[in-house]
Amino acid sequence: MRLPPLIHPHVYAHPTLDTAIWFLHLRWLAVVGQLLTLVVAGYGLKVDLPAQQIVTLIAITAITNVAYWLWLVRMHRTGLHLADRLPNGQIISALMLIDILDLTGLLYLTAGTTNPFWLFYFVNVAIAAAIVTPAWAWMLWSCTVLCVVMLLAIRVQPIDLLGSPMSSSEVPARWSISKLGYLISFVACSGIITYFITILTGQLRQREQAIKEAEEAKSRNRQLESLATLAGGAAHELASPLSTIAVVAKELMRRLERQSASEPILNDVQLIRTELDRCRIILDRMTAATGDAAGERLRSIYIDEFMDESLLGIRDMSRVNVSIQSGAEHTPSLLPVQAAAQAIRNLVQNALDASPEGTDVQVQAAVRNSVWCIDVIDQGEGMSDAVQQRLGEPFFTTKEPGKGMGLGVYLSLNVIRRLGGSLDFVSQRGQGTQAQVRLPVTSIVGS
């Protein structure tokens, strides 16, 4: 059986405030551990060590950690939360580089790779792979390898208790092969650790983000379902009294016409009927938005016919320029035509409302990779980021009161998603908006 290809995650590890605080505590632990080791080795085991130089290297770690702590305090005061990404992740990477160089200096002063504490290189490599970006993790790994090569290549300060360090001046042939194998083993082990931790960390971050987005979408859908249910209930409740008023208004019009009523009175009654028709259209949209139109039968239609259907009833049709890709008319799809056409119609009408008088709206249709691609491009002022984030919410509109209910985009999005498609908006202030509809081509099974 063939295994699926390895997928590299697109969401990588980035330092957050909580990991930054954890790293701060880890560095303090390293400072305390190094000081205790110096005391035990120097005074307990009576090992002759260059204490002053070692303390200087430990002090560098401590001083940089104090500065790091002050920076984290300032970040926290700006309102940064524990799960928020740090505005400058390179600071942690720079501190890790300092730690690697400090460890190299300590090993140089204490017998090099014969010192058992050289294994802490793996700790640095693993931490870097877990909390910084892959680019920085591999950069720190490269620096670690260079430091190990340096320790193997130069003569380091020996310690009798640990035995003689591997020096090329003592047993040239035998130790050169040993050091080469030692270096290859270290590069392979540390490289494998870096690779797999960066991959696993990226996948975990990706899964966390997917779970977060799913929870947000679930919460948003619940709110939209509640609003849609409310709208549907209100539409059904209002339909009965409005129907009664419509019947009474019709009968009243007939009687007034038979009695030759004055023109102003007839105009007033006609206005009532017109407004009743407008209310009925609004209620129909609200009902359709709640999903009552989902029972429409599917039928096969070509894209050019579908575009003609979508543009029926559009106001200012003379301002709409339609272009259909050559050859696209030969690719039919199975759709609930009225519902899908209404979705496109809403987008075109919104584009006309957003474009200044005298400007045109471009509607482009094409078929790419068995997908209908329909783009509606206006020449309006564009949308801000705040408006784009709320697109698709029922009853949200940027139009003046009385000119829109805020159901057009919501209805279009609802229908297109039910058909397995997508609706995206590309907009910048001052450059108009482009609505991008993507509908997968569906055909009758067996055809």
Side-chain angles (χ1 to χ4, degrees):
M1 182 178 67
R2 186 177 181 181
L3 294 175
L6 177 64
I7 299 176
H8 293 274
H10 298 288
V11 180
Y12 297 115
H14 291 274
T16 57
L17 183 58
D18 54 351
T19 56
I21 295 174
W22 172 81
F23 182 60
L24 174 75
H25 295 162
L26 185 64
R27 296 188 86 227
W28 283 128
L29 182 63
V31 170
V32 173
Q34 290 167 358
L35 289 174
L36 286 176
T37 303
L38 177 62
V39 171
V40 171
Y43 294 95
L45 301 177
K46 304 300 182 180
V47 178
D48 186 19
L49 296 173
Q52 184 176 357
Q53 297 174 342
I54 292 176
V55 169
T56 300
L57 291 175
I58 296 174
I60 292 175
T61 302
I63 292 172
T64 56
N65 219 34
V66 170
Y68 177 49
W69 170 70
L70 294 174
W71 180 73
L72 289 180
V73 170
R74 189 179 66 179
M75 289 297 100
H76 181 63
R77 288 176 178 174
T78 60
L80 201 68
H81 298 290
L82 289 178
D84 292 341
R85 182 184 299 182
L86 292 178
N88 191 351
Q90 287 82 2
I91 289 181
I92 290 183
S93 302
L95 290 174
M96 287 184 177
L97 180 59
I98 292 174
D99 293 342
I100 292 172
L101 296 177
D102 264 8
L103 178 59
T104 304
L106 291 172
L107 292 175
Y108 172 76
L109 297 172
T110 56
T113 53
T114 60
N115 188 330
F117 287 101
W118 77 271
L119 292 173
F120 275 92
Y121 275 130
F122 289 106
V123 176
N124 289 328
V125 167
I127 293 174
I131 67 175
V132 299
T133 61
W136 271 104
W138 285 110
M139 190 180 301
L140 293 170
W141 172 81
S142 302
C143 179
T144 303
V145 171
L146 290 176
C147 289
V148 172
V149 171
M150 182 191 71
L151 291 175
L152 291 172
I154 65 176
R155 179 184 292 274
V156 297
Q157 185 69 33
I159 295 178
D160 294 337
L161 186 65
L162 299 176
S164 298
M166 290 182 290
S167 174
S168 58
S169 63
E170 296 179 358
V171 192
R174 183 160 56 90
W175 283 118
S176 62
I177 295 175
S178 175
K179 287 197 288 187
L180 181 60
Y182 183 90
L183 177 61
I184 293 174
S185 298
F186 177 81
V187 170
C189 291
S190 58
I192 290 172
I193 290 173
T194 302
Y195 175 77
F196 279 102
I197 291 182
T198 53
I199 291 296
L200 291 175
T201 303
Q203 290 176 343
L204 288 174
R205 295 281 184 178
Q206 188 178 37
R207 180 166 296 183
E208 288 176 2
Q209 181 173 333
I211 292 174
K212 181 180 179 181
E213 292 176 353
E215 290 176 350
E216 291 176 351
K218 185 177 180 180
S219 176
R220 185 168 57 252
N221 288 337
R222 285 177 178 174
Q223 296 175 355
L224 295 180
E225 287 175 1
S226 299
L227 288 172
T229 302
L230 176 63
H236 285 297
E237 291 295 328
L238 291 173
S240 296
L242 286 176
S243 298
T244 302
I245 296 173
V247 172
V248 172
K250 186 176 181 179
E251 291 298 324
L252 179 61
M253 174 66 77
R254 289 178 178 176
R255 291 187 180 183
L256 290 174
E257 288 176 347
R258 286 198 297 266
Q259 296 177 4
S260 301
S262 61
E263 190 69 22
I265 295 178
L266 293 176
N267 290 338
D268 289 341
V269 176
Q270 183 60 42
L271 179 61
I272 293 174
R273 296 186 62 183
T274 302
E275 292 301 313
L276 284 172
D277 291 338
R278 183 169 179 267
C279 290
R280 184 175 296 279
I281 293 173
I282 293 174
L283 292 180
D284 289 341
R285 289 181 180 177
M286 292 174 65
T287 303
T290 62
D292 289 356
E296 181 185 349
R297 293 183 59 185
L298 303 178
R299 68 182 177 92
S300 182
I301 188 171
Y302 291 92
I303 194 169
D304 53 344
E305 298 173 350
F306 175 74
M307 295 308 303
D308 292 339
E309 189 75 28
S310 300
L311 298 177
L312 286 177
I314 290 290
R315 302 190 303 271
D316 295 335
M317 185 57 197
S318 59
R319 295 172 54 200
V320 179
N321 295 328
V322 182
S323 61
I324 300 177
Q325 180 189 41
S326 177
E329 62 274 9
H330 302 303
T331 306
S333 185
L334 202 62
L335 294 172
V337 176
Q338 294 303 318
Q342 182 63 48
I344 303 300
R345 192 177 300 123
N346 291 338
L347 299 176
V348 175
Q349 195 60 62
N350 284 346
L352 286 170
D353 293 339
S355 300
E357 291 291 336
T359 60
D360 295 338
V361 169
Q362 305 294 326
V363 180
Q364 301 172 354
V367 178
R368 305 187 189 99
N369 300 322
S370 297
V371 175
W372 280 10
C373 303
I374 302 173
D375 296 333
V376 181
I377 307 169
D378 66 41
Q379 299 186 42
E381 298 179 356
M383 297 181 291
S384 64
D385 292 338
V387 171
Q388 292 187 57
Q389 290 176 1
R390 297 194 61 185
L391 277 180
E393 292 184 13
F395 308 111
F396 171 74
T397 180
T398 58
K399 298 178 182 178
E400 297 178 3
K403 292 188 176 181
M405 290 185 59
L407 287 175
V409 175
Y410 171 65
L411 175 58
S412 298
L413 188 62
N414 193 27
V415 171
I416 292 170
R417 283 181 176 175
R418 288 189 180 191
L419 296 176
S422 63
L423 171 59
D424 299 303
F425 292 89
V426 178
S427 181
Q428 291 184 359
R429 298 293 292 176
Q431 298 184 17
T433 300
Q434 179 176 354
Q436 300 175 338
V437 178
R438 301 296 181 262
L439 289 172
V441 174
T442 306
S443 57
I444 301 176
V445 177
S447 62

